Amino acid sequence: MSTVTHTDTPAVYWETEPHHHPEGGSTRLGFWIYLMSDCLMFAVLFAVFAVVGQSYAAGPGPKALFDLNLIAINTGFLLVSSITFGFAMLAMYEGRQARMQIWLAVTLLLGLAFLALEIYEFHHLIELGAGPQRSAFLSAFFALVGTHGLHVLFGCIWLVTLMVQINQKGLIPANTRRMECLSMFWHFLDVIWIGVFTFVYLLGMI
Amino acid sequence: MSQHSIKPHGHNEQSHDSTGHDHGSYRSYLTGFVLAAILTIIPFAVVMSGGFDSRVLTAVTVIGFAVVQVLVHMVYFLHMNTRSDEGWTMLSMIFTIIVVVIMIAGSVWVMFNLNTNMMPSMDHESFQGFGS
């Protein structure tokens, strides 16, 4: 058979079916774009702090209020929690669920310790009469640091939810995907904290 | 969906999946952590020991360390690379950085000019410590 055979099926010039993507394949990129928009929101809060951060209204300034030892400890909590979350992710990719849960629990404890110290700091400032209504500087400070703290709080709630879900349903692809999103969220919060401790605390204390 | 549908990844240096996502390894996380810890401790130590004689030099040093630390976190913890999601991750981040820089630099610049042009000149030093 050396002749070229023509098949009867017509040539297809376009695809009638949309491209098939694996389920949840675009979740990571979508979540990343959410994080970038979150980043813009933090940028606005940083800009507000940069503009009014010197407006003390004859009230207390950073040097009278901040305790760098406390901030250093809090920074340590967040930094260590970043690596413990990383270890949880590695344990997950290895399929070792129990090990992953232990690392997640350690991460959660560090997150809660961070929140406890931050609440202590806020409470201390408000008791001193340096609440958010004292000056533009303090309003901007509470808005910026408080928003970051709220993010950490929601991260902790999400972490507990995922730990329960993984306990019940195991490391199904949906849970793996959720873990990847939370991992990005957690590391992103650590990046924002670098900006906070640099621009709010360290530069304020110079 | 089976319970154990996650393929085990080895301890090899860098593991990637089909979309170019990088999972990292114990070594890469530890490297990132040590770098981040050093980059945190130095600026804290500089400021807590009173800083350099020049305030500007201290500020520039602290900001410089922060920028490097953000890059370390991006590479070692967030596993940023140019391949994941066909480069869209990197592209959206570059776009965000441009918007953030325009917004922060623009706000500071405009408001600084507004303050110096609108405010009556006032000796701020005399207010230092008042009520604090």
Side-chain angles (χ1 to χ4, degrees):
Chain A
M1 288 278 210
S2 60
T3 54
V4 179
T5 53
H6 278 276
T7 51
D8 288 334
T9 52
V12 175
Y13 295 106
W14 63 87
E15 292 181 46
T16 49
E17 291 291 316
H19 269 299
H20 180 72
H21 289 291
E23 190 199 334
S26 53
T27 306
R28 273 190 73 119
L29 181 60
F31 194 78
W32 178 257
I33 290 170
Y34 153 69
L35 285 183
M36 290 299 104
S37 60
D38 217 17
C39 188
L40 291 180
M41 188 194 68
F42 275 109
V44 174
L45 291 171
F46 274 112
V48 169
F49 188 84
V51 169
V52 300
Q54 314 277 321
S55 310
Y56 305 135
K63 282 180 186 169
L65 295 175
F66 299 152
D67 177 8
L68 273 190
N69 291 313
L70 200 73
I71 304 308
I73 295 169
N74 242 0
T75 306
F77 283 149
L78 264 202
L79 194 55
V80 176
S81 84
S82 249
I83 194 176
T84 56
F85 206 115
F87 288 159
M89 292 302 289
L90 291 174
M92 183 187 80
Y93 290 126
E94 288 163 5
R96 297 155 94 172
Q97 193 177 320
R99 193 188 171 110
M100 184 205 72
Q101 292 279 30
I102 291 169
W103 281 122
L104 284 185
V106 174
T107 310
L108 178 66
L109 285 179
L110 289 164
L112 292 177
F114 173 85
L115 279 177
L117 265 188
E118 191 158 293
I119 289 168
Y120 166 76
E121 188 200 12
F122 281 7
H123 177 74
H124 177 67
L125 291 183
I126 291 168
E127 275 212 324
L128 284 177
Q133 61 274 67
R134 180 62 190 84
S135 63
F137 152 67
L138 281 165
S139 303
F141 166 79
F142 275 95
L144 173 58
V145 184
T147 306
H148 178 269
L150 270 182
H151 276 76
V152 177
L153 174 67
F154 282 105
C156 288
I157 295 171
W158 189 1
L159 189 56
V160 174
T161 318
L162 263 185
M163 285 171 77
V164 173
Q165 271 201 327
I166 291 172
N167 214 19
Q168 287 175 345
K169 300 191 175 167
L171 290 173
I172 56 175
N175 279 342
T176 314
R177 209 162 62 227
R178 289 166 189 148
M179 279 288 291
E180 283 177 343
C181 288
L182 181 55
S183 151
M184 284 195 280
F185 186 72
W186 200 266
H187 293 310
F188 168 76
L189 287 185
D190 207 6
V191 172
I192 296 293
W193 182 252
I194 299 172
V196 173
F197 79 68
T198 302
F199 288 102
V200 176
Y201 292 105
L202 291 183
L203 291 189
M205 296 298 271
I206 290 176
Chain B
M1 294 294 179
S2 69
Q3 286 283 89
H4 298 286
S5 51
I6 309 295
K7 286 194 198 105
H9 289 274
H11 283 273
N12 50 358
E13 274 300 283
Q14 304 280 307
S15 47
H16 303 280
D17 57 22
S18 55
T19 51
H21 294 302
D22 182 353
H23 295 155
S25 62
Y26 284 98
R27 181 183 288 194
S28 73
Y29 272 108
L30 280 171
T31 313
F33 178 74
V34 170
L35 284 175
I38 294 170
L39 292 166
T40 306
I41 290 167
I42 294 176
F44 265 95
V46 166
V47 173
M48 285 166 98
S49 64
F52 304 121
D53 291 335
S54 154
R55 287 186 74 223
V56 177
L57 180 64
T58 316
V60 169
T61 311
V62 167
I63 293 172
F65 275 105
V67 170
V68 178
Q69 198 186 344
V70 167
L71 292 177
V72 166
H73 279 242
M74 288 283 176
V75 171
Y76 289 100
F77 294 157
L78 281 163
H79 310 304
M80 286 293 298
N81 58 46
T82 50
R83 297 177 307 278
S84 51
D85 289 307
E86 294 159 0
W88 287 107
T89 317
M90 185 62 90
L91 198 66
S92 56
M93 193 185 70
I94 292 170
F95 172 74
T96 311
I97 291 173
I98 292 171
V99 174
V100 166
V101 168
I102 292 174
M103 185 158 57
I104 293 185
S107 303
V108 171
W109 183 24
V110 168
M111 294 309 289
F112 178 77
N113 279 311
L114 203 65
N115 275 339
T116 44
N117 291 332
M118 301 296 285
M119 291 284 217
S121 65
M122 194 161 57
D123 185 12
H124 282 281
E125 290 303 313
S126 62
F127 285 89
Q128 281 287 326
F130 181 77
S132 62

